[in-house]
Amino acid sequence: MAATVRTGEVVKLDRGYPLVRLDDGALLRCEHATALVKGHDQRAVIGDVVRVAVPDSHDKGVIESIAPRTREFVRKDPTERALPQVLAANFERVIVAQPVSEVNLRRLERELVLAFETGAAVAVVLTKGDLSADGAAAEGALRAVRELAGPNVEVLLVSEADPASVEAVRCLLTPGTTTVLIGRSGVGKSSLVNMLVGSDVLEVGAVREGDGKGRHTTVSREIVSVPGAGRIVDMPGVRGLGLWDADAGIEAAFPDIEQLAEACRFRDCTHGGEPGCAVTAALADGRLPQSRYDSYQALKQEVATVKDRREQARRLNKEKSRPPKRVRKGSASGPPGRKRGRP
Ligand code: GDP
Ligand code: ZN
């Protein structure tokens, strides 16, 4: 079958099927070349730049290769013991959304770790400003979030009832850049995108999550162009945010603890009771809140556990792929294949 090879970008992902915008602007539904999925099981995610074989028959395109990514949003694959899952690629900013009247600081810490780990600029948007009891309550939430997020994170308050509040978010979306929007389902991400665009491009209040049993319901992700600004991707269906490699993200999200740690006696202090630990000293005299310390340790532990599992899996694979002593003809099997859930 005759085909031409073209460059494109994955602009929508629907049940794992990429929709690619080709260099001439045309949209093409694609599947992955077998060579990509075999072995390393590389699948294109939203934002990926890809090479696509476009059949002359105007059939589905075939993604032949994925360009190296400038940035990835990675979590632990919720359906696997020790595999990462990339949710988006090639973006410049991550915005974390939470409802202002129900801010969950522990969840926010985790979301910030994942956002910082990407290396992108990070901002927080507190949504549903109109549901806040009063101005003082909203101010209190803003203050708490600003304190937690640190000086490098812009924190904004928006409300559907106040279109002007959305303009500050628009200013964050620099033309020519892409922003990834994360947050629990129902916090108002789609509503925010619709307000930015000025029309209902995304479905609001829709049930868009899998049932946690690996079934994919109506999860779809899409890059949306915002007039007078950059592009934004709402990330529905991201219920679990398990950490993968996130040591750098933890460091960035806990600058208070990292700063204290500089004064620990041992460079590799785990702040778990070593002598001369400046972190536990700050904990003891109340400069560091216990909850903050507990989150830090729990997140560190989570990353360590995932690393251990990965190491175990690596050793196991190595053992399995060692050639057996006697090879019976016709029964040779390669190394165990790696399975990976779709985003
Ligand atoms: P998503 O799952 O994060 O995309 O959230 P949606 O945008 O679908 O919104 C979830 C629900 O919150 C919908 O019923 C929205 O109408 C509602 N909602 C979104 N933004 C606001 C807001 O600023 N104020 C109020 N009161 N409700 C909002
Ligand atoms: Zn220490």
Side-chain angles (χ1 to χ4, degrees):
M1 185 175 56
T4 46
V5 177
R6 302 266 292 278
T7 304
E9 182 191 20
V10 178
V11 291
K12 185 168 179 177
L13 209 57
D14 209 347
R15 298 160 199 247
Y17 291 104
L19 185 71
V20 173
R21 186 179 298 282
L22 297 172
D23 42 20
D24 65 357
L27 288 170
L28 184 66
R29 186 60 64 188
C30 291
E31 53 198 14
H32 291 87
T34 347
L36 265 187
V37 183
K38 260 190 186 165
H40 290 295
D41 196 356
Q42 252 215 309
R43 282 172 206 272
V45 300
I46 193 126
D48 260 327
V49 175
V50 291
R51 298 277 290 164
V52 182
V54 182
D56 295 345
S57 61
H58 298 283
D59 237 359
K60 262 199 208 113
V62 177
I63 295 176
E64 298 193 323
S65 65
I66 302 167
R69 295 165 178 156
T70 60
R71 219 157 254 144
E72 294 180 328
F73 190 94
V74 189
R75 68 168 168 180
K76 183 185 131 357
D77 188 328
T79 64
E80 296 283 348
R81 242 178 87 76
L83 284 180
Q85 184 183 53
V86 181
L87 296 177
N90 306 326
F91 47 89
E92 282 72 25
R93 185 182 284 281
V94 178
I95 293 181
V96 177
Q98 286 219 11
V100 67
S101 55
E102 292 167 62
V103 171
N104 179 335
L105 293 179
R106 300 287 84 84
R107 181 177 167 107
L108 184 62
E109 278 165 338
R110 173 179 296 276
E111 292 167 332
L112 288 172
V113 167
L114 282 153
F116 277 123
E117 181 65 27
T118 68
V122 179
V124 176
V125 169
L126 298 181
T127 58
K128 308 191 186 184
D130 55 305
L131 294 186
S132 192
D134 53 44
E139 276 307 316
L142 270 169
R143 208 174 318 115
V145 169
R146 288 204 170 108
E147 196 182 309
L148 185 96
N152 299 325
V153 177
E154 187 128 18
V155 183
L156 301 171
L157 178 65
V158 300
S159 166
E160 239 175 7
D162 175 15
S165 67
V166 176
E167 293 315 303
V169 180
R170 193 188 307 275
C171 290
L172 292 179
L173 313 179
T174 314
T177 69
T178 303
T179 294
V180 166
L181 182 56
I182 65 165
R184 204 169 41 77
S185 178
V187 302
K189 299 185 299 298
S190 316
S191 308
L192 176 60
V193 172
N194 289 343
M195 283 189 284
L196 286 163
V197 173
S199 65
D200 291 349
V201 288
L202 299 182
E203 203 179 333
V204 165
V207 177
R208 284 170 287 119
E209 300 212 335
D211 61 1
K213 293 180 191 133
R215 192 160 61 88
H216 298 280
T217 47
T218 45
V219 177
S220 91
R221 309 199 168 111
E222 184 174 359
I223 299 186
V224 172
S225 284
V226 175
R231 308 185 309 165
I232 192 162
V233 193
D234 173 13
M235 301 271 281
V238 184
R239 184 159 15 197
L241 286 176
L243 301 184
W244 184 243
D245 247 349
D247 285 324
I250 293 176
E251 245 175 67
F254 289 83
D256 46 349
I257 294 184
E258 290 303 320
Q259 201 191 342
L260 287 166
E262 279 171 26
C264 291
R265 183 178 307 161
F266 302 115
R267 280 207 64 155
D268 58 352
C269 185
T270 63
H271 326 306
E274 290 97 330
C277 175
V279 174
T280 40
L283 191 61
D285 67 21
R287 277 175 294 142
L288 178 65
Q290 182 75 42
S291 55
R292 181 84 172 147
Y293 173 82
D294 290 345
S295 313
Y296 176 85
Q297 291 293 31
L299 293 167
K300 278 277 197 196
Q301 185 53 51
E302 187 175 325
V303 171
T305 303
V306 168
K307 264 190 202 148
D308 284 349
R309 284 191 194 165
R310 186 163 31 161
E311 188 52 32
Q312 273 170 22
R314 204 182 57 83
R315 277 202 303 270
L316 205 67
N317 273 357
K318 235 179 170 175
E319 262 162 43
K320 279 193 195 154
S321 61
R322 221 174 269 154
K325 286 200 182 94
R326 278 186 310 146
V327 182
R328 230 182 299 148
K329 242 191 189 159
S331 70
S333 62
R338 296 208 318 171
K339 187 164 82 74
R340 181 181 291 189
R342 288 200 188 106

